[in-house]
């Protein structure tokens, strides 16, 4: 890699680092900015000063409010100049200053004049600036011009308006949605980038209307898209449509697959890659579907461009997780990438090979990796370690060589994250491969002999305490553990004491020796270490008698705490010293919903030492747990059904509220999930006032307010109603959010003491018949139908009136009944004139219900339906008919 | 996946990792300190690589970064971890070539600082609020260069001069190759 710049460097040594901004100072530049006020403007000079100001901002210099306002006002004077170049700099400057609302008014008229100017460059830029700084009120005034601009014959102007539209859609959706026709016209534009921007905006406008997106995609995939970027968008939207449409791979070809496959032959690399990636990410992709995508990615692997190699190897790496055999064809190309100059590519190639390799190739690969490990950075090493871990789980017979590899790299230099990844891997291997346990534990013991990370030492000690006593010869670990008590810092010493105690509690034969060691710890210099030793000695019977430790003692010492620590901390803070002792049973067990920030990295579950027990509870379990932890609702009995959240507010409003309906046998609980989207506000005492005057059979029995609702951290408030037992009572509820609002100082995050009571109208909520039916599928509908018998069968015919399509009618009835479609019968094949749909479910009171729906087109649009219901109870069969009749 | 390709930032740093011109489009780096920290790590992770003939690529902290170096200037374009790498590379290439055209082939730190206004306008024409505006270097350069036109010139004449300017750029470009 010869650097071709040697000469240049020589030059630089002679002249001292030259920069036109050398010694630049904010104060001086602000002084210079006075030239903007000169009656005779010098465009050249003004441009220079603006560049200097931009340079300062770019370097991270901050203008005070006063300075920014002053600069802004003088910059607005520059609109007098006719100089194009200067005007461009003015535009950039205004965007950088992001003026406040009252300042924006100062430039609005100038910008509006430019927006209607004859010069294209003025129009395009003025639109971008104005849309960037404007608020909703101004938008209605300029809407007309923006609509014109979208269909402007100059592509730059058109793009500027469309891109601004995409930004504005976030803040003023109702206005932008009115531009649909113009945007649609722009999609047909001959200019590549206009088409790209128009497609992005059009999709965004229609994103909540699945049918419209479907139409958009199917019309465009027939081929009128010219721009590669727009084609990439279309591929993304197409895979979204495929994802959302019912999964009917078993019945035949996937819709739109042909389009994706066709894109693999596009002339632009970005389109080829986008399509290949989309195919690999299809749900339940088959190997036949994968093959053409893998083939083009394989070609990319030997490209001269690093970006292409990287993109291909990264995608293949992901495919290897689910379809390792599909990638094996590329193994030879992959192996040559191990020596790639770009270490990211090399690492991805290695980890892919580790996933696709077979048992016999493991040893050869490990040899290659050992050489490779020494010259890559820690972050890449972590990736390799994780790949080796999963390889070992796949080929447990190879655990010896892989475990050896791990312990070797554990001894080498490395940072905390890297070491933690190795330790985590060893821990997982010990857990999952019994034969690897003893060697693994010894590797860990050796590691803590010389470990500089307190966290890892304590975690390993804890783990030893769990696994060590269960091995064939627990005594051999004691030495390593007791060494920690001599040589380490207080935290590790305390951990070691607990581990020793665990050995003592679990292995009776070791007790006397352990007690000797624990007694020595009574003279430690650290309080915590001494306290722990004393506690263990007393509870485990350290008076010398060797007795079996009782289960309750074990539970007390080593059991887990089932209370969230945050709640315990809060309760302890609120506890005031009094006669009454603190009772841990009063600490609430409900888990606070996690703040949004933590959702940033979904799918990255903690593994290894800190991992929670596997198997996350389903939502029903989670709801049930949550509700039963609230004393007011504890006696409602078993939760029958929880609905999906229903939004009670429009998107992008001040407070976002959705509701989950929980149905019990004789109660209904509404769980309002509230989110405060205003950083400057703290809400307290949040309740929902529910007016049930249109729901006669319901009577409010309890409500649980939400104590405080800070910005962006969702919380819940509940209202419970009583209803006649077992009866599917329906009704409409109107909701009002009531709360005390307190101003929050955004800089300090502290709320003011005084709050104001306020209300916020929410949308109405309905309890419908479908809420009383559980979606429970049956595997073989015909068998279930036959065995149910015709005793309580009810059959009737209904006219559904004119409908958009048969499919729409079918979906409407499924939604109305809230039952589970069986055997894929919810999918209506296009252009068919009749359809049969099979549904199954469980009605409140645990009554099984099966429904057979036969739809037919009656005339051009009218849909007729025959409904046959079978259930274990005739009143239920009747109830189903009633739902349809009244729906 | 994002519904359209999003650019998180565009950076030009010098050979010591100091800022020449930067533009961030994402709230991932709310403070100047966070931005500088990102620039520092991106610079140290890439400085030893040879990104002079072909654009290089790396991935860290859930970002994809494509980059290319010339003389003592380092160009970077950053996207999210699920972004189409080739699209990011197209943005980088457009930016890189447009700067080359506008600075008439002498692309180094001194020249870049002396023409900082041009560089800033160039960035402004490539990406708007994270959305790609244009990736064709000739078009970008054309849009930026047209500003040096005499404002007093009548409209028709201007278009001719503009055409001439574009032709000139094409020529320079082909000579450079």
């Amino acid at each position: 890699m010869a650097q071709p710049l040697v000469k240049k460097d020589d030059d630089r040594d002679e002249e001292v680092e030259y920069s036109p901004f050398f010694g630049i100072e904010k104060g001086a530049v602000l002084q210079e900015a006075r030239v903007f006020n000169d009656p005779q403007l010098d465009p050249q000079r003004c441009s220079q000063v603006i560049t200097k100001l931009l340079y300062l901002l770019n370097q991270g210099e901050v203008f005070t409010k006063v300075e920014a306002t002053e600069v802004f006002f003088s910059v607005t004077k520059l609109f007098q100049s006719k100089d194009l170049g200067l005007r461009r700099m003015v535009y950039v400057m205004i965007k950088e200053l992001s003026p406040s609302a009252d300042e924006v008014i100062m430039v609005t008229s100038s910008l509006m004049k430019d927006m209607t100017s004859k010069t294209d460059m003025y129009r395009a830029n003025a639109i971008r600036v104005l849309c960037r700084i404007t608020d909703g009120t101004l938008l209605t005034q300029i809407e007309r011009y923006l609509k014109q601009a979208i269909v402007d014959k100059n592509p730059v102007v058109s793009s500027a308006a469309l891109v601004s539209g995409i930004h504005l859609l976030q803040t003023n959706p109702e206005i932008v949605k009115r531009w649909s026709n113009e945007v649609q016209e722009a999609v047909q534009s001959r200019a590549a980038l206009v088409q790209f921007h128009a497609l992005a905006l059009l999709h965004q406008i229609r994103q909540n209307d699945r049918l419209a997106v479907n139409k958009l995609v199917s019309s465009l995939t027939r081929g009128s898209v010219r721009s590669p970027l727009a084609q990439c968008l279309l591929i993304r939207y197409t895979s979204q449509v495929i994802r959302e449409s019912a999964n009917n791979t078993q019945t035949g070809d996937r819709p739109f697959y042909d389009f994706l496959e066709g894109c693999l032959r596009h002339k632009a690399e970005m389109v080829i890659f986008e399509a290949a990636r989309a195919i690999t990410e299809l749900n339940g992709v088959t190997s036949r579907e994968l093959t053409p995508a893998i083939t083009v990615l394989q070609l990319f692997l030997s490209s001269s461009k690093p970006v292409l190699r990287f993109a291909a190897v990264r995608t293949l790496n992901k495919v290897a997780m689910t379809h390792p055999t599909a990638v094996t064809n590329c193994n030879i190309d992959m192996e040559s990438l191990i020596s790639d100059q770009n270490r990211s590519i090399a690492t991805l190639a290695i980890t892919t090979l580790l996933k696709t390799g077979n048992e016999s190739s493991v040893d050869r690969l490990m040899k290659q990796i050992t050489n490779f490990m020494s010259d890559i950075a820690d972050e890449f090493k972590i990736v390799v370690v994780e790949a080796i871990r999963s390889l070992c789980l796949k080929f447990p017979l190879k655990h010896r060589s892989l475990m050896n590899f791990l312990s070797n790299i554990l001894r080498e230099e490395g940072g905390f994250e890297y070491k933690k990844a190795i330790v985590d891997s060893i821990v997982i291997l010990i857990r999952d491969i019994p034969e690897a346990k003893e060697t693994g534990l010894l590797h860990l013991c050796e590691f803590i002999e010389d470990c500089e990370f307190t966290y890892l030492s304590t975690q390993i000690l804890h783990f030893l305490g769990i696994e060590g006593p269960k091995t064939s010869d627990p005594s051999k670990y004691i030495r390593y553990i007791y060494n920690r008590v001599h040589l380490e810092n207080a935290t590790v010493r305390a951990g070691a004491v607990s581990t020793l105690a665990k050995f003592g509690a679990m292995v009776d034969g070791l007790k006397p020796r352990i007690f000797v060691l624990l007694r020595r710890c009574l003279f430690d210099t650290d309080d915590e270490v001494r306290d722990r030793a004393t506690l263990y000695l007393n509870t485990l019977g350290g008076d010398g008698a060797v007795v079996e430790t009782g289960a309750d003692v074990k539970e007390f010492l080593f059991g887990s705490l089932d209370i969230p620590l945050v709640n315990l901390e809060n309760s302890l803070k609120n506890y005031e010293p009094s006669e009454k002792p603190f009772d841990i049973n009063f600490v609430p067990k409900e888990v606070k919903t996690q703040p949004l920030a933590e959702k940033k990295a979904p799918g990255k579950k903690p593994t290894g030492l800190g991992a929670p027990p596997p198997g996350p509870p389903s939502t029903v379990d989670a709801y049930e747990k949550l509700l039963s932890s609230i004393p007011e609702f504890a006696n409602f009995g078993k939760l029958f059904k929880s609905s999906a959240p229903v939004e009670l507010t429009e998107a992008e409003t001040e407070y976002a509220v959705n509701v989950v309906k929980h149905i019990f046998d004789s109660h209904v609980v509404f769980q309002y999930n509230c989110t405060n989207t205003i950083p400057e506000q703290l809400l307290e005492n949040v309740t929902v006032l529910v007016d049930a005057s249109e729901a006669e059979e319901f009577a409010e029995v309890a409500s649980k307010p939400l104590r405080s609702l800070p910005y962006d951290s969702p919380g819940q408030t509940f209202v419970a109603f009583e209803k006649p037992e077992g009866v599917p009572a329906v009704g409409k509820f109107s909701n009002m959010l009531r709360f005390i609002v307190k101003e929050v100082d955004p800089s300090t995050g502290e709320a003011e003491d005084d709050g104001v009571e306020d209300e916020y109208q929410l949308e109405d909520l309905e309890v419908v018949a479908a809420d009383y039916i559980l979606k429970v599928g049956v595997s073989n509908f015909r068998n279930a139908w036959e065995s149910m018998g015709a005793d309580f069968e009810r059959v009737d015919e209904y006219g559904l009136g004119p409908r958009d399509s048969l499919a729409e009618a079918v979906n409407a009835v499924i939604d109305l009944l809230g039952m589970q479609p069986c055997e894929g019968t919810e999918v209506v094949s296009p252009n068919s004139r009749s359809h049969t749909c099979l549904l199954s479910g469980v009605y409140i009171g645990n009554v099984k219900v099966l429904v057979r729906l036969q739809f037919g087109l009656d005339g051009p649009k009218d849909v007729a339906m025959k409904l046959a219901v079978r259930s274990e109870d005739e009143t239920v069969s009747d109830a189903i008919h009633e739902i349809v009749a009244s729906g | 996946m994002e519904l359209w390709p999003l650019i998180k930032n565009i950076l030009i740093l010098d050979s010591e990792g100091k800022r020449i011109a930067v533009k961030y489009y994402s709230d991932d780096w709310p403070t100047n300190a966070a931005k500088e920290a990102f620039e520092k790590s991106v610079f140290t992770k890439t400085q030893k690589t040879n990104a002079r003939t072909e654009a290089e690529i790396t991935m860290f902290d859930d970002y994809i970064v494509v980059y290319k170096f010339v003389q003592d200037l380092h160009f970077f374009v950053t996207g999210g971890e699920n972004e189409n790498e080739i699209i990011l590379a197209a943005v980088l290439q457009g930016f890189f070539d447009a700067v080359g055209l506008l600075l008439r082939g002498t692309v180094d730190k001194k020249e870049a600082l002396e023409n900082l206004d041009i560089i800033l306008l160039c960035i402004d024409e490539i990406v708007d609020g994270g959305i790609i505006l244009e990736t064709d270097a000739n078009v970008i350069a054309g849009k930026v260069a047209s500003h040096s036109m005499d404002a007093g010139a009548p409209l028709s004449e201007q278009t001719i001069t503009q055409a001439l300017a574009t032709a000139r750029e094409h020529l320079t470009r082909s000579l450079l190759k």
Side-chain angles (χ1 to χ4, degrees):
Chain A
M1 258 179 285
Q3 304 274 329
L5 300 173
V6 189
K7 190 163 157 276
K8 186 76 201 167
D9 284 348
D10 285 346
D11 283 355
R12 227 197 311 154
D13 284 346
E14 288 158 25
E15 45 179 308
V16 189
E17 175 93 43
Y18 167 81
S19 159
F21 303 105
F22 183 74
I24 190 170
E25 218 203 349
K26 184 171 82 170
V29 180
L30 290 173
Q31 287 283 329
E32 269 187 84
R34 296 202 173 146
V35 295
F36 299 164
N37 298 326
D38 284 354
Q40 279 298 322
L41 283 173
D42 174 357
Q44 202 80 31
R45 179 92 202 284
C46 293
S47 269
Q48 278 169 7
V49 177
I50 292 190
T51 310
K52 282 185 187 172
L53 288 167
L54 287 171
Y55 174 82
L56 287 172
L57 286 171
N58 220 300
Q59 295 295 323
E61 192 89 48
V62 183
F63 289 1
T64 64
K65 188 88 191 73
V66 179
E67 285 165 352
T69 314
E70 210 164 284
V71 170
F72 179 79
F73 278 123
S74 38
V75 165
T76 56
K77 303 259 170 50
L78 298 179
F79 274 101
Q80 291 167 11
S81 165
K82 296 257 179 297
D83 186 276
L84 249 159
L86 179 58
R87 184 69 57 89
R88 294 288 302 283
M89 296 308 283
V90 169
Y91 293 140
V92 175
M93 190 69 208
I94 292 176
K95 276 194 277 189
E96 284 299 322
L97 286 171
S98 50
S100 61
D102 45 338
E103 289 168 0
V104 170
I105 298 170
M106 301 296 300
V107 283
T108 307
S109 61
S110 306
L111 285 171
M112 275 168 72
K113 205 168 132 236
D114 284 0
M115 261 176 76
T116 49
S117 148
K118 279 201 185 107
T119 314
D120 297 334
M121 205 50 82
Y122 280 167
R123 287 210 302 287
N125 278 292
I127 288 171
R128 284 172 57 200
V129 176
L130 198 52
C131 291
R132 173 55 51 89
I133 59 177
T134 186
D135 58 353
T137 49
L138 186 64
L139 200 52
T140 39
Q141 289 178 48
I142 58 169
E143 189 186 355
R144 191 162 57 92
Y145 303 113
L146 289 175
K147 276 164 121 174
Q148 261 168 28
I150 289 174
V151 290
D152 197 291
K153 61 181 187 306
N154 183 309
V156 181
V157 178
S158 178
S159 277
L162 288 164
V163 171
S164 301
I166 297 176
H167 293 310
L168 289 169
L169 195 64
Q170 316 296 326
T171 47
N172 298 81
E174 61 294 330
I175 293 181
V176 180
K177 278 177 186 162
R178 294 201 292 254
W179 308 347
S180 224
N181 288 336
E182 285 78 8
V183 179
Q184 192 132 26
E185 198 180 323
V187 172
Q188 306 302 331
S189 163
R190 304 199 63 80
L193 269 296
V194 173
Q195 194 171 43
F196 165 60
H197 295 132
L199 182 55
L201 180 54
L202 191 61
H203 177 266
Q204 194 66 3
I205 289 176
R206 298 187 176 167
Q207 59 174 342
N208 294 323
D209 183 350
R210 211 203 280 181
L211 211 65
V213 172
N214 234 321
K215 265 188 204 155
L216 178 70
V217 166
S218 31
S219 72
L220 286 177
T221 47
R222 290 195 204 107
S224 56
V225 176
R226 275 172 295 271
S227 133
L229 276 171
Q231 191 78 353
C232 287
L233 284 186
L234 187 56
I235 291 171
R236 287 187 193 186
Y237 302 154
T238 307
S239 29
Q240 191 190 10
V241 167
I242 297 178
R243 232 185 346 266
E244 284 167 2
S245 66
N247 195 2
N248 53 351
T249 37
Q250 68 269 38
T251 58
D253 282 347
R254 207 187 281 271
F256 298 120
Y257 174 79
D258 289 343
F259 165 71
L260 293 181
E261 210 226 310
C263 289
L264 295 175
R265 292 182 292 275
H266 198 275
K267 58 183 184 304
E269 280 157 348
M270 67 169 78
V271 176
I272 299 176
F273 175 66
E274 187 80 42
R277 193 170 65 159
I279 290 177
T280 64
E281 286 170 0
L282 290 174
N283 281 334
V285 63
T286 63
S287 35
R288 194 171 58 87
E289 288 170 322
L290 265 179
T291 312
I294 302 286
T295 311
V296 298
L297 290 174
Q298 189 174 2
L299 286 177
F300 280 10
L301 285 181
S302 42
S303 159
S304 64
K305 294 181 188 162
V307 172
L308 287 191
R309 295 200 300 273
F310 177 90
V313 74
R314 189 158 79 107
T315 311
L316 289 171
N317 188 300
K318 276 189 205 142
V319 178
M321 291 183 198
T322 47
H323 296 80
T325 47
V327 186
T328 39
N329 277 343
C330 312
N331 275 5
I332 295 176
D333 306 78
M334 290 276 185
E335 283 194 32
S336 58
L337 288 183
I338 294 181
S339 53
D340 200 301
Q341 289 286 334
N342 184 321
R343 300 328 269 164
S344 306
I345 296 177
T347 312
L348 284 166
I350 286 252
T351 51
T352 315
L353 284 169
L354 287 174
K355 284 171 198 149
T356 56
N358 49 26
E359 197 152 355
S360 58
S361 65
V362 167
D363 292 320
R364 190 166 51 92
L365 262 179
M366 296 312 289
K367 206 173 278 167
Q368 275 180 303
I369 295 174
T370 317
N371 299 330
F372 166 81
M373 285 300 261
S374 53
D375 55 34
I376 54 171
D378 267 13
E379 52 193 294
F380 294 135
K381 290 181 182 166
I382 294 175
V383 181
V384 175
V385 166
E386 280 163 3
I388 288 178
R389 176 210 301 162
S390 34
L391 185 71
C392 191
L393 292 174
K394 202 162 99 193
F395 304 121
L397 286 177
K398 287 283 167 198
H399 74 85
R400 205 172 303 275
S401 67
L402 294 171
M403 189 68 101
N404 263 333
F405 176 81
L406 289 177
S407 73
N408 280 336
I409 54 173
L410 192 55
R411 269 183 238 124
E412 277 159 22
E413 283 293 297
F416 172 72
E417 291 296 333
Y418 174 44
K419 290 285 161 94
K420 181 167 180 298
I422 304 174
V423 171
D424 280 351
S425 299
I426 296 183
V427 164
I428 288 171
L429 297 184
I430 291 174
R431 270 194 203 146
D432 293 358
I433 306 174
E435 302 83 48
K437 185 189 264 186
E438 305 242 339
T439 41
L441 285 179
L442 278 176
H443 285 316
L444 291 179
C445 283
E446 272 165 30
F447 173 60
I448 53 172
E449 291 274 65
D450 184 25
C451 170
E452 55 189 310
F453 305 109
T454 302
Y455 174 83
L456 287 181
S457 291
T458 51
Q459 295 288 306
I460 290 176
L461 283 169
H462 177 76
F463 185 70
L464 271 176
I466 299 168
E467 295 292 338
K470 295 186 218 154
T471 55
S472 57
D473 181 13
S475 64
K476 69 178 168 197
Y477 304 105
I478 303 290
R479 180 171 63 87
Y480 295 102
I481 301 167
Y482 189 62
N483 278 345
R484 301 301 101 221
V485 181
H486 285 300
L487 303 168
E488 294 280 359
N489 60 39
T491 317
V492 179
R493 291 205 302 275
V497 167
S498 295
T499 307
L500 282 177
K502 262 182 220 161
F503 273 79
M506 312 271 275
V507 189
D508 292 328
L510 285 178
K511 254 187 196 147
R513 285 146 80 192
I514 297 276
F515 288 153
V516 173
L517 298 178
L518 284 179
R519 265 185 223 113
R520 284 191 202 158
C521 301
L522 292 175
F523 303 103
D524 197 280
T525 48
D526 185 74
D527 291 352
E528 174 76 18
V529 179
R530 284 198 310 276
D531 286 355
R532 284 197 189 193
T534 314
L535 174 72
Y536 292 129
L537 278 170
N538 287 324
T539 45
L540 296 175
D543 45 4
V546 178
V547 286
E548 197 170 322
T549 313
D552 53 336
V553 172
K554 276 188 198 164
E555 175 61 33
F556 167 66
L557 287 179
F558 308 119
S560 64
L561 194 64
D562 61 343
I563 297 168
L565 289 177
V566 189
N567 297 2
L568 181 61
E569 187 186 346
N570 281 340
S571 302
L572 282 169
K573 273 186 193 155
N574 294 341
Y575 174 71
E576 280 169 20
S578 65
E579 291 290 296
K580 229 174 95 196
F582 179 80
D583 189 344
I584 200 160
N585 292 323
F586 284 122
V587 180
K589 288 184 184 171
E590 51 190 295
V591 183
K592 254 202 171 168
T593 325
Q594 303 217 322
L596 286 171
E598 286 179 34
K599 287 189 193 154
K600 224 195 127 193
K604 279 194 184 157
K605 296 192 189 97
T607 46
L609 292 164
S618 67
T619 38
V620 182
D621 287 348
Y623 282 138
E624 193 154 15
K625 214 169 172 183
L626 173 65
L627 290 171
S628 61
S629 68
I630 301 168
E632 288 93 329
F633 310 144
N635 57 352
F636 286 179
K638 184 154 170 44
L639 177 63
F640 175 72
K641 179 183 181 178
S642 298
S643 73
V646 183
E647 297 295 335
L648 295 184
T649 49
E650 299 264 333
E652 312 291 338
T653 46
E654 299 97 310
Y655 314 111
V657 180
N658 65 44
V659 66
V660 178
K661 297 173 272 186
H662 301 289
I663 310 288
F664 291 88
D665 209 26
S666 52
H667 293 90
V668 175
V669 176
F670 297 144
Q671 172 188 338
Y672 296 90
N673 299 313
C674 314
T675 312
N676 171 9
T677 62
I678 308 178
E680 297 85 17
Q681 285 191 359
L682 170 73
L683 306 189
E684 290 193 341
N685 248 335
V686 184
T687 52
V688 177
L689 291 187
V690 185
D691 175 10
S693 54
E694 283 179 74
E696 288 160 4
E697 288 173 283
F698 293 85
E700 187 171 330
V701 288
S703 79
K704 187 172 183 300
L706 176 64
R707 279 247 298 285
S708 104
L709 183 64
Y711 164 64
D712 212 11
S713 157
Q716 301 106 20
T717 164
F718 300 85
V719 180
F721 287 87
E722 196 169 32
K723 67 171 189 63
E725 188 177 339
V727 173
V730 296
K732 196 174 182 184
F733 302 83
S734 61
N735 305 294
M736 175 83 84
L737 193 67
R738 175 176 285 182
F739 45 81
I740 294 169
V741 52
K742 290 184 176 173
E743 296 287 316
V744 172
D745 185 338
S747 54
T748 63
E750 278 172 33
E752 283 176 14
D753 289 337
D754 300 323
V756 186
E757 193 158 309
D758 201 357
E759 285 179 346
Y760 188 80
Q761 182 69 46
L762 302 176
E763 280 172 29
D764 290 351
L765 153 74
E766 273 187 278
V767 171
V768 293
D771 288 328
Y772 296 98
I773 303 179
L774 272 184
K775 281 188 175 185
V776 177
V778 291
S779 52
N780 186 327
F781 190 86
R782 174 177 284 273
N783 276 355
W785 182 264
E786 298 298 332
S787 62
M788 184 80 82
D791 298 350
F792 301 122
E793 178 168 319
R794 292 286 182 276
V795 185
D796 208 346
E797 290 187 5
Y798 300 89
L800 300 180
R803 296 280 172 166
D804 278 352
S805 69
L806 207 52
E808 191 252 306
V810 173
N811 283 330
V813 176
I814 295 175
D815 285 346
L816 179 66
L817 289 174
M819 294 174 72
Q820 178 68 40
C822 300
E823 299 171 15
T825 52
E826 73 274 27
V827 186
V828 181
S829 47
N831 301 328
S832 61
R833 301 201 41 91
S834 67
H835 182 74
T836 303
C837 179
L838 309 171
L839 303 174
S840 105
V842 170
Y843 200 67
I844 192 165
N846 268 336
V847 183
K848 264 201 200 131
V849 187
L850 298 173
V851 168
R852 174 181 290 186
L853 296 165
Q854 283 162 301
F855 294 87
L857 273 178
D858 188 11
K861 286 275 178 196
D862 284 354
V863 178
M865 177 181 76
K866 184 173 164 191
L867 167 69
V869 186
R870 286 188 182 185
S871 76
E872 296 160 338
D873 183 334
E874 63 180 317
T875 54
V876 173
S877 300
D878 288 333
I880 299 288
H881 273 284
E882 213 162 287
I883 292 171
V884 174
S886 59
Chain B
M1 196 197 305
E2 303 288 352
L3 285 170
W4 53 75
L6 272 185
I7 306 298
K8 301 243 178 199
N9 64 44
I10 293 184
L11 318 172
I12 305 185
L13 306 179
D14 72 4
S15 54
E16 283 150 23
K18 287 213 238 36
R19 263 182 210 172
I20 302 294
V22 298
K23 182 79 190 164
Y24 286 80
Y25 305 101
S26 149
D27 299 334
D28 296 1
W29 304 276
T31 62
N32 191 46
K35 291 180 177 130
E36 279 175 347
F38 176 80
E39 286 156 31
K40 185 159 189 287
S41 70
V42 101
F43 179 78
T44 41
K45 272 175 215 297
T46 58
Q47 72 184 122
K48 290 204 190 93
T49 53
N50 179 25
R52 292 183 184 272
T53 43
E54 288 285 356
E56 277 289 347
I57 181 163
T58 186
M59 183 176 178
F60 69 96
D61 295 348
D62 301 339
Y63 298 110
I64 301 273
V65 182
V66 288
Y67 54 99
K68 198 165 181 192
F69 304 159
V70 62
Q71 306 283 26
D72 47 1
L73 287 182
H74 296 197
F75 291 70
F76 301 90
V77 171
T78 308
E81 64 170 334
N82 288 322
E83 205 40 81
N84 180 330
E85 293 90 341
I86 300 166
I87 294 181
L88 295 178
V91 174
L92 175 73
Q93 198 65 43
F95 180 37
F96 187 86
D97 291 346
V99 171
L101 286 173
L102 289 163
L103 297 186
R104 306 260 188 269
T106 18
V107 185
D108 58 21
K109 179 179 174 184
K110 175 166 171 280
E111 202 67 24
L113 283 174
E114 276 175 358
N115 295 289
L116 190 68
D117 50 345
I118 287 182
I119 306 267
L120 292 173
L121 285 177
C122 200
I123 296 179
D124 187 59
E125 289 295 351
I126 292 173
V127 172
D128 182 290
I131 301 172
I132 301 168
L133 272 181
E134 180 58 75
T135 57
D136 184 329
N138 287 308
V139 179
I140 299 166
K143 285 205 263 180
V144 174
S146 68
H147 93 263
S148 43
M149 224 53 55
D150 182 9
L155 194 70
S156 54
E157 216 168 286
Q158 240 183 57
T159 8
I160 292 167
T161 358
Q162 250 171 34
L164 281 174
T166 326
R168 202 166 52 232
E169 303 302 346
H170 272 290
L171 189 67
T172 342
R173 190 172 154 81
S174 50
L175 285 176
L176 277 172
K177 271 187 177 161

